[in-house]
Amino acid sequence: MSLNLYDTMARAKRPFVPADPKRVTMYVCGPTVYNYAHIGNARPVVVFDVLFRLLRHAYGDEAVLYAANVTDVDDKINAKAQAEGVAIDVITERYIEIYNRDMATLGALRPTFQPRATQTMDAIQAMIATLVQKGGAYAAEGHVLFDTQAYPDYGKLSGRSLEDLIAGARVDVAPYKRHPADFVLWKPSKPGEPVWESPWGPGRPGWHIECSAMIEQALGLPIDIHGGGNDLIFPHHENELAQGVCAAHGCEGGHTGDYARYWLHNGFLNFGSEKMSKSLGNVVLVHDLVKQAPGEAVRWALLVGHYRAPLEWSGELIEQARKSLDRLYGALRRAADVTPSTDAPAPKFLAALEDDLNTAQAMAELFALASALETGSPEEKARAKGELLASGRLMGFLQSDPEAWFQGGADEDLKTRVEALIAARIEARSAKDWPRADAIRDELNALNVEVMDSATGATWRLKEPS
Ligand code: AMP
Ligand code: ZN
């Protein structure tokens, strides 16, 4: 395996070498669970799912440990619980379950661990105590803050200096901060918010420390890969790194590579020329989208561009995705009687993914395999079918029965109508009402449905678009 990944810290593509090939670790920052996930939130999930699958292929399923957290302590969760008059965990349980189901519809494997801040509170407090003890944090007015001036490597990941951060700071910096860039590790809870006892007074953790503690508890340092959207580079990942390194190695500096060995960040998904975000209100929810289009087509649409580039979301993108999958499933359907002669992915396909997850090139290789499956010699067809199925599987595609794919293209209304028409046609035929049977066949044709009669009854499928 010669995997190269673009590392945000190195600002370059680097050969991927895990600390221990028998225990490869990856952590990706997940959503705050107070609402349905939008398709932008699904982009890191699907991108890092491809990487998870690729790592499993290279190192073995059991050797890869993938933790993707959910943030279940947050102001927005509290607000939602208050608005509905229910306990906070009613909200978080509900949206974690919906989130997991929606992401499964997009073909994302369940991560090995799904840690939650509320279940990591002891580790969070222990890490804060260590930071205070090592001189990397200070308590002030019921808060504990990270002392950015005590850590010389602060800013290395995002390429910022403490001077830049003073210039960029708003005037209303809290009076208890020694430096405007100092950030909260612990803070008092507001009335009605969840609260935990602590040595620094009752309160709740800051967002960044939650991830550092979950990483240490679920995986241990250093992890091989840390991922998330590129909005998280600063301040979230910069702060995670600072805390994690100070707590584990002291604050002297020189340990930036000992927290995460590779930092990967996906580009943003934009909608209507702005980034898709709940606060802007321009969201398309995964939950709604998968009712209108197969999850596999949505997954395809999320992977057509390179993960680091911005992705412009549109209905057209899903239509194109559906057509691409029609093409591949069509080739598999026509080759139903070809027996695959391999179950390994195609070398060129693998090489594309190993080049910093070049999914667009990997998809081009899938089309090349589909062509070989249609036009090759019998040996080539047998190899192409095996490679197409195995490559598709590695990327999370092409695992449905081709017939089911084409029927899945029909929505529920269409399915009901088709079934009713087929029943009426059988009736017309048994009554020898040929003109009526023909009229029904024409109607089915107009719906793009092909009926296959057999001794045991009629089956149907959608025709491929020409
Ligand atoms: P959030 O719930 O906003 O904290 O986001 C959860 C994950 O989704 C993080 O990794 C974000 O970086 C990522 N994310 C949020 N919005 C988008 C977007 N429009 N495009 C790509 N990634 C996003
Ligand atoms: Zn995080």
Side-chain angles (χ1 to χ4, degrees), residues 329-340 373-374 381 385:
Y329 272 117
L332 286 168
R333 176 157 84 180
R334 286 185 292 276
D337 55 353
V338 174
T339 307
L373 178 55
E374 309 230 67
K381 286 184 175 188
K385 184 168 178 182

Side-chain angles (χ1 to χ4, degrees), residues 226-302:
H226 194 319
N230 62 15
D231 58 322
L232 299 183
I233 299 173
F234 186 87
H236 185 53
H237 289 167
E238 192 73 73
N239 294 354
E240 260 193 42
L241 170 63
Q243 300 156 162
V245 161
C246 276
H249 299 283
C251 302
E252 295 73 30
H255 286 284
T256 50
D258 297 328
Y259 183 69
R261 294 160 58 81
Y262 299 79
W263 290 90
L264 268 66
H265 292 100
N266 63 273
F268 251 55
L269 181 145
N270 300 319
F271 190 50
S273 75
E274 279 183 300
K275 71 175 194 177
M276 185 178 286
S277 89
K278 284 172 199 162
S279 52
L280 291 173
N282 60 342
V283 296
V284 177
L285 303 178
V286 177
H287 201 69
D288 296 334
L289 207 51
V290 295
K291 289 182 195 143
Q292 299 150 19
E296 196 172 347
V298 178
R299 181 182 177 92
W300 186 279
L302 284 170

Side-chain angles (χ1 to χ4, degrees), residues 382-399:
R383 189 179 44 79
K385 184 168 178 182
E387 290 187 344
L388 180 56
L389 287 170
S391 305
R393 182 169 60 240
L394 208 164
M395 224 174 148
F397 295 121
L398 303 180
Q399 299 311 295

Side-chain angles (χ1 to χ4, degrees), residues 418-436:
V418 170
E419 304 290 350
L421 283 169
I422 289 177
R425 181 164 157 273
I426 292 170
E427 237 179 75
R429 290 177 128 205
S430 59
K432 299 203 188 319
D433 183 351
W434 307 121
R436 167 128 183 83

